[in-house]
Amino acid sequence: MNKKVPKSNLDSKIPTMYIGMDLHKKYLQIAALDENGKLISNSRIDNNLVEVDKFFKDINNENPKVVMESSGIWYNIYEYLSKQKHLDVVLSNPIKTKAIATAKIKTDKLDALKLADLLRGGYIAECYIPDKKTMDLRELVRHRFTLVKMRTKMKNKIHSIILMKGVRITGGIHPFTRKHIEKLKEVKDYRIDGYLRMIESLDSEINDVSRKIKTCVNESDIARLLMTIPGIGYYSALVIVSEIGGDINRFPDSSHLCSYAGLVPSTHSSGGITYHGSITKTGSKYLRWVMIECVRAHIRNYKNTSITKFYERLARSKGNSKAVVAAASKLLKVVYWIIKERREYVPNIAVKES
């Protein structure tokens, strides 16, 4: 005999609304679907928190689920919506989401609708959302990265000018030391003088940001442990900490961390034949960049380590570029276990592979 379900229990289920948000600099396209996939609305609002707040206050639903794609403007809106207790907000990985739902016809309305429908079907590939502290660290180290990149651009401009003018600065003077700068000023070129003033200003900004980074490193136990690894300095350590995030256990093993950094070879398998190509370059480009820089410093300055011996052995058969990338992946596995086990680096200890 079937048990009769009380009416109060039947009425207790609140229908879910699925909302997809397509984000743009000036506006947001927002599509809303009911549980059956019926379109409730697909509207455009201005990209500001006042309009966002008004939109979500006006919707007639007590159980809305919201999805938006990761982009350059997601954080402010995500942070605001995630603080609203009645909203369930997720961030979609744009690369994986596009792989699931590609379309030849692309409009803002269709994109928002597609996101809402994928959320309803449970097909959203979610992004990891770092906490506020980790986000602040990321912004700090990336800001320094941008400043250094700008300074390098200015220096390259000066190099191109002196080459064009046929100027030779001799005497074994290292570029952009005090003596080198004095020689550059003697060229009497207004472009060089302008670039030197900009470099001086950038030097001041970089030094100021570097002091802030050193303070953050002193406050981070993990960063100090990473600095025991040859080739990893204070800045590199904080980049690694900020890119990995606060919980290393979100990576099941060291290979998953290498995949997150895009330091694993692409694979194509068909008909029983497997091909391995160049590295995937997906995930965190900053983590991939800093690990390659760290491994270059490692093999340049530390000659008798397992990482350097691995690099030298591979370089003989595969060439320098491939060997550097493979060594960077191996060094990242060392980073994984240092963080996982909360211990200092021990030279020439075999790296666990998983």
Side-chain angles (χ1 to χ4, degrees), residues 201-259:
S201 177
L202 285 169
D203 282 339
S204 177
E205 291 294 326
I206 291 168
N207 290 336
D208 184 50
V209 174
S210 296
R211 284 191 290 270
K212 293 177 182 177
I213 290 173
K214 285 180 180 178
T215 300
C216 293
V217 168
N218 291 333
E219 296 171 354
S220 171
D221 295 337
I222 296 298
R224 291 199 303 273
L225 288 174
L226 292 178
M227 288 174 64
T228 64
I229 302 174
I232 297 182
Y234 74 93
Y235 174 68
S236 302
L238 203 64
V239 173
I240 294 168
V241 169
S242 66
E243 291 301 318
I244 291 177
D247 184 15
I248 192 66
N249 293 316
R250 68 190 182 94
F251 301 102
D253 51 46
S254 58
S255 296
H256 279 78
L257 177 57
C258 292
S259 179

Side-chain angles (χ1 to χ4, degrees), residues 19 21 52-59 66 81 86-87:
I19 299 173
M21 300 180 67
V52 171
D53 183 67
K54 184 176 182 299
F55 175 88
F56 282 96
K57 282 182 177 177
D58 289 344
I59 62 174
V66 185
L81 293 180
H86 68 293
L87 296 178

Side-chain angles (χ1 to χ4, degrees), residues 21-31 42-56 58 77 81:
M21 300 180 67
D22 188 30
L23 311 183
H24 298 271
K25 291 180 181 178
K26 295 183 178 180
Y27 64 89
L28 312 174
Q29 189 72 37
I30 308 179
N42 198 339
S43 56
R44 178 181 293 189
I45 66 171
D46 290 339
N47 186 353
N48 63 69
L49 296 181
V50 174
E51 291 297 318
V52 171
D53 183 67
K54 184 176 182 299
F55 175 88
F56 282 96
D58 289 344
I77 297 172
L81 293 180

Side-chain angles (χ1 to χ4, degrees), residues 258-259 261-267 276-282 284-285 288-289 292 321-329:
C258 292
S259 179
L263 286 171
V264 295
S266 55
T267 303
H276 294 291
S278 58
I279 57 172
T280 60
K281 292 188 178 180
T282 57
S284 172
K285 66 178 183 180
R288 181 168 62 255
W289 164 78
I292 289 174
S321 297
K322 290 183 178 180
V324 165
V325 171
S329 180

Side-chain angles (χ1 to χ4, degrees), residues 15-174:
T16 303
M17 178 186 288
Y18 299 93
I19 299 173
M21 300 180 67
D22 188 30
L23 311 183
H24 298 271
K25 291 180 181 178
K26 295 183 178 180
Y27 64 89
L28 312 174
Q29 189 72 37
I30 308 179
L33 301 176
D34 66 13
E35 286 186 332
N36 299 316
K38 181 180 177 182
L39 181 65
I40 299 171
S41 67
N42 198 339
S43 56
R44 178 181 293 189
I45 66 171
D46 290 339
N47 186 353
N48 63 69
L49 296 181
V50 174
E51 291 297 318
V52 171
D53 183 67
K54 184 176 182 299
F55 175 88
F56 282 96
K57 282 182 177 177
D58 289 344
I59 62 174
N60 186 24
N61 189 275
E62 297 180 14
N63 189 28
K65 294 179 181 281
V66 185
V67 61
M68 64 184 72
E69 273 191 345
S70 175
S71 65
I73 57 174
W74 69 270
Y75 187 72
N76 185 45
I77 297 172
Y78 177 88
E79 185 182 34
Y80 178 78
L81 293 180
S82 62
K83 291 178 181 177
Q84 313 304 314
K85 294 182 179 179
H86 68 293
L87 296 178
D88 182 5
V89 189
V90 298
L91 186 68
S92 169
N93 184 319
I95 296 175
K96 292 184 178 180
T97 300
K98 285 175 184 175
I100 295 170
T102 54
K104 292 184 178 180
I105 302 175
K106 179 174 169 53
T107 66
D108 296 335
K109 283 190 173 183
L110 287 175
D111 284 350
L113 183 61
K114 180 170 62 180
L115 283 170
D117 201 33
L118 289 172
L119 180 65
R120 186 178 71 90
Y123 293 111
I124 289 293
E126 293 186 36
C127 285
Y128 165 71
I129 309 295
D131 57 32
K132 183 68 167 58
K133 183 179 179 181
T134 302
M135 281 297 295
D136 289 342
L137 289 179
R138 282 187 182 181
E139 293 303 316
L140 181 63
V141 296
R142 290 179 183 183
H143 179 55
R144 186 185 184 277
F145 175 87
T146 302
L147 292 174
V148 172
K149 195 173 181 180
M150 291 169 63
R151 184 177 64 182
T152 302
K153 186 177 181 180
M154 299 298 105
K155 291 180 178 180
N156 289 338
K157 290 284 186 182
I158 292 175
H159 283 308
S160 67
I161 292 170
I162 62 174
L163 283 173
M164 182 180 65
K165 294 173 75 71
V167 175
R168 294 283 188 270
I169 298 177
T170 58
I173 302 172
H174 290 289

